[in-house]
Amino acid sequence: MSQHSTDSTDPFDLAREAAAEIARRTDVERHDVALVLGSGWGRTADLVGETVTGFDQADVPGFAGASVAGHSGTMRSVDIAGTGRRALVFGTRTHYYEGRGVRSVVHAVRTAAAAGCRAVVLTNGCGGLRPEWGPGTPVLISDHINLTGTSPIEGANFVDLTDLYSPRLRDLAREVDPGLGEGVYVQFPGPHYETPAEIRMVRTIGGDLVGMSTSLEAIAARQAGLEVLGISLVTNAAAGMDAPLDHAEVVAAGKASADRIGQLLAAIVERI
């Protein structure tokens, strides 16, 4: 069942209101790039640059606090490695399974666009289907398959998703780390993990990574005119390939990889 809002208001109005509040709190008229930090990515903001301003995300119109372990409820304005450019870092995201509607899921990327960002980096913790991608492996998202049964786009707005995950930004990421792999990310609604049969289906339809976020945000980002880079952190093998799945292990894998993925992300963001 779709979680589209029946609200007749323009969803971009709330994004503009949130962007205005961010500008007020940060004393910066615009930001350059946005980061959405998924499970296991929380400490990476410290390595991107100096946090100039940080505040509770729930204090900004349209946002809620962190509701999932491994996420931070702090929104930050970060000076990117002394470049004078600013990154807007969202320490948490609203997941589709939280039941707050698709507008809430994509509010951060719409706010990023309203705040002046020209690119967004979407990160997540996910299950991996390739045996060579052990826990702690970062993987570029080359494409996605959206199995949520819904879309963030409302009305007859036909948005082209060809090259949704920017080839330019993926090439830039490989300049930083030539060994980065890439694959197709499959979003399930969650919050339950996938069954082994569903993972066999994912393999059949061409998926390499499975999770519960990112694709809806990426679609909304494309609609808003943002260039999109998606990076998954493989935190566990997908269902049926290894031991039973446990969210605490997902968080632990992220913590163990924090320095490596933080340095990778910092080097990428510096070049965007």
Side-chain angles (χ1 to χ4, degrees):
M1 181 177 178
S2 171
Q3 293 187 40
H4 267 310
S5 171
T6 57
D7 190 345
S8 61
T9 61
D10 183 345
F12 294 94
D13 286 343
L14 185 59
R16 287 187 284 268
E17 184 181 346
E21 177 64 14
I22 291 168
R24 187 187 71 78
R25 287 177 174 268
T26 62
D27 200 27
V28 174
E29 185 177 341
R30 58 177 292 128
H31 285 74
D32 300 283
V33 59
L35 284 72
V36 178
L37 301 182
S39 296
W41 290 85
R43 286 178 54 200
T44 63
D46 296 330
L47 300 174
V48 170
E50 179 186 355
T51 297
V52 180
T53 310
F55 43 91
D56 191 334
Q57 199 157 291
D59 291 338
V60 178
F63 286 90
S67 61
V68 180
H71 291 247
S72 164
T74 301
M75 188 184 300
R76 306 190 195 190
S77 177
V78 176
D79 182 6
I80 303 172
T83 63
R85 295 184 297 119
R86 288 290 186 96
L88 182 60
V89 181
F90 300 100
T92 189
R93 55 162 44 99
T94 296
H95 297 82
Y96 180 68
Y97 57 73
E98 294 176 45
R100 295 206 287 263
V102 180
R103 286 187 176 186
S104 293
V105 172
V106 302
H107 180 55
V109 294
R110 286 175 171 162
T111 296
C117 295
R118 53 189 174 81
V120 61
V121 182
L122 302 173
T123 70
N124 61 61
C126 73
L129 275 71
R130 295 193 193 178
E132 66 267 29
W133 293 342
T137 303
V139 180
L140 299 173
I141 299 175
S142 60
D143 205 345
H144 78 232
I145 298 171
N146 173 17
L147 295 183
T148 66
T150 192
S151 169
I153 300 173
E154 302 174 26
N157 298 306
F158 305 108
V159 177
D160 180 13
L161 300 184
T162 304
D163 291 336
L164 170 57
Y165 296 91
S166 168
R168 183 187 78 85
L169 294 183
R170 295 193 335 253
D171 287 346
L172 183 154
R174 279 189 290 267
E175 289 176 8
V176 174
D177 183 350
L180 282 173
E182 65 176 38
V184 175
Y185 178 88
V186 180
Q187 180 178 353
F188 281 84
H192 54 275
Y193 288 109
E194 306 75 31
T195 67
E198 287 170 334
I199 294 303
R200 290 195 296 273
M201 176 191 72
V202 167
R203 193 187 302 279
T204 300
I205 64 177
D208 304 294
L209 308 157
V210 291
M212 305 173 193
S213 67
T214 303
S215 71
L216 296 175
E217 294 156 293
I219 294 167
R222 167 55 63 90
Q223 182 189 26
L226 294 171
E227 193 172 14
V228 179
L229 178 65
I231 311 178
S232 290
L233 174 67
V234 176
T235 55
N236 55 274
M241 297 180 62
D242 202 348
L245 303 179
D246 181 88
H247 185 68
E249 293 181 4
V250 171
V251 175
K255 288 181 178 178
S257 308
D259 286 343
R260 179 193 173 193
I261 61 177
Q263 291 167 3
L264 170 67
L265 190 57
I268 292 171
V269 170
E270 189 176 338
R271 290 164 169 79
I272 292 178

